[in-house]
Amino acid sequence: MTGSCPSAPTWRTTCAATPSTRTWSSTADRGAGACPAGTRLPSVRALAGDLGIAPNTVVRAYRELEAAGVVRTARGKGTVVADAPPAPDDAAVGAAVERAVALARAAGWDAARLRRAVDDAQRVRSDR
């Protein structure tokens, strides 16, 4: 699905585009569909002008988003929202859990505290 992102005032609320990767990705998960994969982002010059910020700030934001895999840029074609990355396999999730448990043990956490942390993390994720 391709499209065009909205103008800057709408962009702020729809796609939450700000010069911050964290703000964009945390407030506009690709899964939310605010800006689906293939959606073209405004040009650097247009977005900078609409937001009243320096073009270099937009360039930096786009680079951060690209490094995070949120967008992809092709010279002469612009910047578009990237496809969602493939889901990690069971082995990758298992390895991440093992690293988290080892870190918690090293910090002196007991099993009950670790379970609370996992429950809290799941609750926070489901609230998004």
Side-chain angles (χ1 to χ4, degrees), residues 43-99:
S43 70
V44 168
R45 183 177 294 167
L47 186 58
D50 287 347
L51 296 177
I53 59 176
N56 284 340
T57 304
V58 176
V59 168
R60 180 173 166 229
Y62 281 9
R63 282 186 187 146
E64 289 180 17
L65 290 168
E66 189 165 20
V70 176
V71 300
R72 56 184 160 71
T73 302
R75 187 173 215 90
K77 294 185 180 182
T79 302
V80 297
V81 176
D83 295 327
D89 62 14
D90 288 350
V93 174
V97 169
E98 288 175 10
R99 287 191 304 274

Side-chain angles (χ1 to χ4, degrees), residues 107-124:
W109 288 21
D110 62 10
R113 185 169 180 191
L114 181 58
R115 282 188 197 95
R116 281 194 309 273
V118 170
D119 289 343
D120 289 346
Q122 287 177 320
R123 196 172 10 265
V124 167

Side-chain angles (χ1 to χ4, degrees), residues 12-66:
R12 286 183 184 171
T13 56
T14 304
C15 299
T18 64
S20 167
T21 302
R22 285 189 207 121
T23 302
W24 194 94
S25 61
S26 66
T27 59
D29 281 343
R30 284 175 281 212
C35 285
T39 301
R40 188 170 181 180
L41 276 63
S43 70
V44 168
R45 183 177 294 167
L47 186 58
D50 287 347
L51 296 177
I53 59 176
N56 284 340
T57 304
V58 176
V59 168
R60 180 173 166 229
Y62 281 9
R63 282 186 187 146
E64 289 180 17
L65 290 168
E66 189 165 20

Side-chain angles (χ1 to χ4, degrees), residues 78 102 126:
S126 67

